[in-house]
Amino acid sequence: MKKLYFLIIGLLADINCMAGDVVTFEEFEVNESGYKNDFGEDGCFEAGGFTFYCNYFPEWLYWSGFCISNRTETTFKNITPDQFNSCVGHGVNGSEKYAIAYPQGEVIEADAKDGEEISGFYVTNNAWAVDAILNGDGMTPGAFTTGDWFKLTIIGTHADETTASVEVYLADYRSENAADHYYLTDWHWVDLSALGKVTSITFRMDSSRKNDWGTTTPTYFCMDDFNGVAPSGAATFEEMALEAESSYCGAGAEGETVTDTWGSQVTKSHFTSGGYQFTTLYNPMYASWSGFAVSNETSTAYATYADQFRSCVGHGYDGSSNYAVAFPSAMGETVEPVGGAAFINGMYVTNSAWNVYAYTVGDGMTPGAFATGDWCKLTITGTHADESTATVEVYLADYRSENEADHYYLNDWQWVDLSTLGEVKSLTFSVSSSRNNEWGMTTPGYFCIDNLGGEADMTADIRHTQTVSNATPVMRYSLDGKRISRSQRGIQIVRMSDGTTRKVVR
């Protein structure tokens, strides 16, 4: 079911895990090659109420435990310095530094004698591990295939010497369905609350790839924001109480009276889901609205204007009840992180039922279904604290190709990566289309969103609709949904000409 990351507003300032206890590794200096694995005779470094241990043997050019890196390279060629590369090239939220872990029994120790409750940390793969997953590790030839896996186990020790553990798969190819195979390619939050109050934690790494001497997959991982804060509460809209088969678009809401672009008096109101505030404009005179509405309607058919609150899926992401319907206007209705600027991972998006009707039948003002050359596009604009902006685009329908096999419209929830926007204080949205007349766009300017600020489902594919006869590859996408022109190393989504999709590892 849908992951819920709801946090109480004010968590950063008020909860036991205070900002001062978050270990970001930013305060440490690194050498000219971009790493630090020598911490002197003590063999450790302290940060945020914890001690991180590292063993360093310069005569053998060997180390183990925990070290600091700010290296931006994401590939592996030589053990030194590439063992200090992550697969991301930066820390969480674009920060400069992160930790590299090569655990051989070393611990992270809480300074408090009775232990600490550790919220969690962000983890991702080391570049060397990724190279082994994709190409083989030198001792076990070939890339990971069905049945392979690479796992990190975090073990917390309590004051009474009892232990508890949490597991996370850094790569998981166990499924018989190749579409379910993945390895971590970005920072992923690991919740350690289940460990309870611990005096120390140790790490154990294991893999399906072994020989007589043990695991052959390089047993490295990367860490950042240790004892930090989980991803901001995703906007899932599930907390909005709706009657069955209904919607909410601001009718009856209290708010500020403003004048819209047509000179009408409208009520500007807000609602909050997760860690985000959404703006809605409602005109009581015409019972019209713009901005953001919430719906739980399950029908995917469009017949009249009353059906404007329907998605083309009939439910929220991952089968949930509620989702948001967006109809942005020239007033620039916003989505704002509660509590100030924030880094937003992304969101799930799909078409409204009305839009699909326009693509497949016609929009009433421009007759006929979409044909070669037509398109409908969503543009998401993030505004930074200094008022500069960045944008991400996603096609809701794309018929631009001369090859009809490439034509598609979204007919299921698709993840849209917003990480390239950076830290933003607000998001605004606009819809554009190839179908226009002298008064503007004739394609309905709607779309649907869910799980804004959440995390991508690493096992989800990219779902498009098309009708063709021969099952040959027609389009390729990276895992974040960006179209690529040719096959590339790593995991990619290949859309076949029969409408199916496949997750391919190369």
Side-chain angles (χ1 to χ4, degrees):
M1 289 300 293
K2 180 180 297 186
K3 299 175 181 177
L4 300 178
Y5 298 106
F6 295 116
L7 300 174
I8 299 172
I9 296 172
L11 177 66
L12 286 170
D14 300 327
I15 202 164
N16 289 334
C17 176
M18 295 183 181
D21 292 332
V22 180
V23 182
T24 64
F25 308 103
E26 294 300 312
E27 69 267 35
F28 296 97
E29 298 294 328
V30 297
N31 63 26
E32 61 183 8
S33 295
Y35 63 89
K36 180 178 177 62
N37 63 347
D38 179 2
F39 295 95
E41 294 182 0
D42 293 336
C44 63
F45 61 91
E46 296 181 354
F50 299 92
T51 302
F52 296 72
Y53 286 88
C54 178
N55 290 309
Y56 178 60
F57 304 93
E59 64 274 21
W60 298 337
L61 298 178
Y62 175 85
W63 71 280
S64 63
F66 305 89
C67 71
I68 314 297
S69 176
N70 71 352
R71 290 179 58 80
T72 58
E73 291 85 351
T74 60
T75 58
F76 178 82
K77 296 179 181 178
N78 302 301
I79 292 179
T80 300
D82 294 343
Q83 64 180 306
F84 303 102
N85 296 349
S86 75
C87 69
V88 183
H90 55 73
V92 170
N93 293 349
S95 64
E96 182 180 359
K97 294 171 186 171
Y98 50 91
I100 301 288
Y102 177 55
Q104 301 295 310
E106 296 82 3
V107 304
I108 299 176
E109 193 171 65
D111 293 350
K113 291 183 179 180
D114 61 346
E116 294 281 357
E117 292 184 0
I118 302 172
S119 59
F121 64 90
Y122 283 90
V123 67
T124 196
N125 272 304
N126 172 270
W128 191 0
V130 170
D131 186 74
I133 292 165
L134 298 181
N135 302 302
D137 51 47
M139 292 178 280
T140 310
F144 270 30
T145 58
T146 298
D148 283 320
W149 50 270
F150 183 37
K151 182 174 69 175
L152 170 65
T153 302
I154 304 104
I155 304 165
T157 300
H158 308 134
D160 63 0
E161 301 301 323
T162 60
T163 61
S165 63
V166 170
E167 294 181 345
V168 58
Y169 279 87
L170 302 176
D172 191 353
Y173 287 52
R174 292 174 298 165
S175 174
E176 292 296 325
N177 183 3
D180 293 338
H181 299 171
Y182 71 87
Y183 62 91
L184 296 187
T185 59
D186 206 341
W187 291 104
H188 174 75
W189 177 255
V190 180
D191 184 358
L192 297 185
S193 60
L195 298 181
K197 201 170 187 178
V198 298
T199 56
S200 67
I201 59 173
T202 54
F203 301 84
R204 184 172 64 239
M205 305 191 75
D206 198 3
S207 170
S208 59
R209 294 290 183 97
K210 295 178 170 67
N211 62 17
D212 292 341
W213 295 277
T215 299
T216 59
T217 307
T219 52
Y220 292 71
F221 68 94
C222 303
M223 169 193 292
D224 204 2
D225 282 17
F226 180 83
N227 199 32
V229 179
S232 179
T236 65
F237 311 104
E238 294 304 306
E239 66 270 63
M240 304 291 289
L242 300 176
E243 294 183 2
E245 303 296 335
S246 68
S247 60
Y248 169 79
C249 63
E254 295 182 0
E256 177 187 4
T257 300
V258 298
T259 303
D260 66 16
T261 53
W262 296 275
S264 297
Q265 297 295 296
V266 298
T267 300
K268 182 179 182 180
S269 63
H270 308 281
F271 67 86
T272 300
S273 180
Y276 300 90
Q277 176 180 270
F278 297 77
T279 304
T280 299
L281 302 179
Y282 184 77
N283 188 325
M285 180 176 295
Y286 300 106
S288 61
W289 68 284
S290 63
F292 301 90
V294 180
S295 176
N296 65 7
E297 295 196 32
T298 58
S299 174
T300 60
Y302 177 81
T304 70
Y305 181 71
D307 300 331
Q308 63 180 312
F309 300 106
R310 296 176 176 178
S311 75
C312 70
V313 184
H315 54 73
Y317 169 69
D318 204 16
S320 64
S321 297
N322 293 359
Y323 52 90
V325 179
F327 179 56
S329 75
M331 295 287 285
E333 299 87 355
T334 63
V335 175
E336 298 180 0
V338 174
F343 183 90
I344 303 174
N345 290 333
M347 65 180 182
Y348 281 92
V349 65
T350 196
N351 274 298
S352 77
W354 193 354
N355 277 66
V356 170
Y357 183 86
Y359 306 149
T360 57
V361 178
D363 53 42
M365 291 178 280
T366 308
F370 268 28
T372 298
D374 283 322
W375 52 270
C376 184
K377 181 174 67 177
L378 169 63
T379 301
I380 304 108
T381 301
T383 300
H384 307 136
D386 64 0
E387 302 302 328
S388 62
T389 61
T391 60
V392 168
E393 295 180 343
V394 57
Y395 279 88
L396 302 174
D398 190 353
Y399 288 51
R400 292 173 298 164
S401 174
E402 291 296 325
N403 182 2
E404 290 187 3
D406 292 342
H407 298 173
Y408 72 88
Y409 62 84
L410 299 186
N411 70 336
D412 206 338
W413 292 102
Q414 176 177 310
W415 176 255
V416 178
D417 182 4
L418 299 181
S419 62
T420 57
L421 299 180
E423 191 174 65
V424 296
K425 67 177 185 178
S426 67
L427 297 176
T428 54
F429 302 81
S430 63
V431 178
S432 56
S433 171
S434 58
R435 294 288 184 96
N436 299 276
N437 62 19
E438 57 186 307
W439 294 283
M441 185 175 69
T442 59
T443 304
Y446 293 74
F447 61 95
C448 302
I449 62 174
D450 206 358
N451 278 37
L452 186 142
E455 291 187 335
D457 179 354
M458 292 176 293
T459 65
D461 58 10
I462 296 175
R463 303 170 178 93
H464 292 154
T465 292
Q466 64 182 68
T467 52
V468 289
S469 56
N470 298 317
T472 57
V474 294
M475 298 178 94
R476 296 178 185 270
Y477 295 84
S478 60
L479 277 181
D480 59 7
K482 296 177 181 177
R483 186 174 175 181
I484 54 180
S485 59
R486 60 182 181 272
S487 183
Q488 61 183 23
R489 285 178 57 183
I491 298 179
Q492 54 195 283
I493 306 299
V494 179
R495 184 161 65 86
M496 307 301 290
S497 56
D498 63 355
T500 63
T501 55
R502 301 177 186 176
K503 188 167 288 187
V504 176
V505 180
R506 178 176 179 270

